[in-house]
Each structure stands twice: as structure tokens, then as C-alpha cells.
Amino acid sequence: YLENMNDRETIYTHLNVFETFNPVLPDAYKETDFTFLANIGPELQHNVIRQVKSKFIAMDTMNYWISGTLPALKQTISKVDAMIINDSEVKQLAETDNLFTGARKIQAMGPKTLIIKKGEHGSILVHNDNYFFCPAYPVENLYDPTGAGDTFAGGFMGYLAQVGSVNNTVLRQAVMVATAFASFCVEAFGVQRLKQISAADIKSRVQNLLEYIEINPQLLWEIE
């Protein structure tokens, strides 16, 4: 990560054990309703998809797979319901500088739901023809952004699994919960901060987010 703690450069990528990894799921895992495919080779993600019977599957990816394994990645994308990726990955995958045009192009590949992460600038939920912008939670003591994206995804999928259904309202709620989780992650190294929080802490930050985005009717005026 650069000094602004938002932009980053990939120095190298070593696949290590994942280069020959072949995930075989226990039977108990195959019936899960909600599955998240974390950032790993698209062939491995597709292998997991073939093993599960889920009603909602979301995936992550990165520039390494977009540039090096695009055909396999597109095949996997066609099988999922949602993608959780950052803004630069949207532009790279869709080959456009416009996020919203890029979102439409990715939706045409398969997933009707996209959550586009924009770091300190929040995130954008695109679900079918609906848009929702969620600001980042204001964190003054930013210690380490590593893992914030995975924490965001975990909070998002965890909330969907807790509710047990997916619709436009629930997806918006899940994005706010995910934002709250990620805001704690960046306040310490690794999972240290996450180990200290409770459900009440998450609810408190979600409530704050709701207050930040609430429109007071008195602020509206008639335009002639």
C-alpha cells in the first residue's frame, strides 16, 4: 500500500500451495445456501461451484486473474450471482474507464449484483437496474488496510446468510454491515481489532452510517 493507505501496487504474486490445490468439499458444506468464492484461481472457484447447491454465490477476483486467465475467469463469472471487486478491477475487466458502463458489461457476463469497492470513498451496489452508494465509515486511526476487502466480503455474506433471503433492501443492508466490519479491520494489524468487537459495536456503526446517509426532508426544496 502507498502512503495514502488506499492505492496499492502488486509487486509479485506467488501461488504457492494454490498452484496445485484441488478443493474437495465435505458433504456438509455442499448444501450451504450462501457461498463466497474468495480471491483464488478461477478454475478452483469453478470447481467449488460444481460441488455446491447454493441459492446465492458471490465471488472475488483480482488483476492477476483478469490479465492472465481471462477465459477461465469469464466462465466462472457466468456461474455466480454476485461479484465483490474494487473499482480498478471493474475498469480492467470491462475495459472501460466508466464504472457504471463497466458494471453493465460485467452484469452481461452473468452476475446481476455487483459490489464495487472504492476504498476510502465507500462502495457502490449495483443490483439489476438499482444503484446504492454507501460511504466509507470515517476512520481516523487507520493502521493497516490489509484484509479490509475480505472482511467486507465476510460481513456482507454473513448478513445475507443470517437473513436468509436476497432482495434490494437486504443487499443494501448487507453493504452497510460489511462497511462497518471493514472499518474495524483497518484499525489494527491483522484480525486484532476484529477479535475485540461485539455485535453491538457493529450495530452502532451501522446506525451511524444510516444517520450519515439520511436525507432530512427540511433539506429538500422545490426546483422550478
Side-chain angles (χ1 to χ4, degrees), residues 188-201:
F189 180 75
V191 298
Q192 291 177 359
R193 187 71 176 96
L194 296 173
K195 292 169 64 177
Q196 300 170 347
I197 63 175
S198 65
D201 296 319

Side-chain angles (χ1 to χ4, degrees), residues 74 77-78 101-114:
K74 286 186 174 181
I77 291 174
S78 69
T101 300
R104 292 303 183 202
K105 287 186 176 181
I106 296 174
Q107 283 181 312
M109 298 178 189
K112 301 308 176 187
T113 302
L114 268 72

Side-chain angles (χ1 to χ4, degrees), residues 151-203:
T151 304
F152 182 99
F156 178 83
M157 294 299 293
Y159 183 79
L160 294 183
Q162 175 181 293
V163 174
S165 61
V166 177
N167 56 51
N168 193 44
T169 298
V170 172
L171 287 168
R172 294 183 180 204
Q173 294 169 343
V175 168
M176 288 189 288
V177 170
T179 300
F181 268 102
S183 71
F184 284 109
C185 175
V186 301
E187 292 181 335
F189 180 75
V191 298
Q192 291 177 359
R193 187 71 176 96
L194 296 173
K195 292 169 64 177
Q196 300 170 347
I197 63 175
S198 65
D201 296 319
I202 296 296
K203 291 179 181 178

